[in-house]
Amino acid sequence: ARANTEETTPGSWRRARLIDRYSERLFKDILVPLNGAAESWPALDQAIDIAGREGGQVHGLHLVANEAAKLRPEAQAVRMQFEARCAAVGMTGNLVMETGDVTRKIIERALLTDLVVLNVAHPPSAGLTSLGHGLRSIIWRCARPILAVPGRVTQFDRAVLAYDGSPKSKEALFIAAYLAEIYRTQLTVLS
């Protein structure tokens, strides 16, 4: 089933959160895809940090090859690590294991959340070979804000926003202003 076009149009998330911006927190539900590799865990730690600041909840997503793989030790190790990291800070979270295309599942699950936190330890390179890269597809098609974590947790002390007036950059400006006000992030805007 395709998502409602209004839910996936750039700007829809921001419009739906205008009142929350001043009365509540923006990121109540945070999606973090995990593959179980060591470099993916900082993304979970970042998601936990944000959820703690926002009074939110972390929703993990782990993709496996088939239904039987959900019971394998590797998948159960991901679940145990997820639960242990959440429990270490007194947070409850939930981890879902699914099968299917990683990019498509992240985009689908994102519609149920307010923020997607992605590991980008290996971002796509420049050139034609990167056009089909999953990260690029997620950035292009995801209807929710994305926080890319390049291998370490940040406290949001400083942020740079590339702004061009497009609908997605307006979404980013909305979030950057929120971070500057609530998290006291030093913000630099490049236009």
Side-chain angles (χ1 to χ4, degrees):
R2 286 193 60 88
N4 180 337
T5 304
E6 177 57 27
E7 291 176 343
T8 60
T9 304
S12 62
W13 182 86
R14 176 176 37 90
R15 286 188 298 275
R17 302 304 178 287
L18 283 174
I19 293 173
D20 290 347
R21 164 79 174 80
Y22 295 102
S23 62
E24 297 180 32
R25 300 296 188 194
L26 287 182
F27 308 117
K28 294 178 188 171
D29 293 292
I30 302 168
L31 175 65
V32 58
L34 300 163
N35 64 10
E39 68 235 12
S40 72
W41 296 111
L44 175 59
D45 294 338
Q46 185 72 71
I48 288 171
D49 178 68
I50 296 166
R53 292 179 189 217
E54 297 283 314
Q57 185 175 13
V58 176
H59 305 278
L61 174 63
H62 180 65
L63 277 289
V64 293
N66 53 48
E67 290 296 320
K70 292 179 181 180
L71 301 175
R72 291 197 179 121
E74 300 84 12
Q76 292 308 308
V78 170
R79 179 177 301 287
M80 289 189 316
Q81 182 74 271
F82 176 88
E83 291 171 354
R85 286 178 184 250
C86 289
V89 295
M91 180 175 292
T92 57
N94 66 314
L95 177 76
V96 174
M97 291 193 195
E98 288 198 29
T99 61
D101 178 69
V102 173
T103 301
R104 187 173 57 81
K105 290 295 183 179
I106 292 171
I107 292 166
E108 286 174 2
R109 287 267 172 187
L111 289 172
L112 303 173
T113 63
D114 300 309
L115 177 68
V116 179
V117 179
L118 294 175
N119 162 50
V120 289
H122 305 289
S125 59
L128 292 176
T129 59
S130 69
L131 291 178
H133 192 278
L135 177 60
R136 188 173 304 275
S137 296
I138 293 167
I139 292 169
W140 195 250
R141 295 174 39 211
C142 188
R144 297 297 183 260
I146 298 168
L147 175 63
V149 178
R152 64 180 184 82
V153 176
T154 181
Q155 295 303 308
F156 298 104
D157 297 327
R158 296 178 306 237
V160 176
L161 171 65
Y163 183 81
D164 65 1
S166 69
K168 284 196 175 193
S169 72
K170 288 178 182 176
E171 295 273 285
L173 179 61
F174 177 76
I175 293 168
Y178 176 79
L179 293 175
E181 180 182 350
I182 303 300
Y183 289 29
R184 301 293 184 226
T185 303
Q186 179 184 350
L187 180 61
T188 301
V189 179
L190 301 173
S191 180

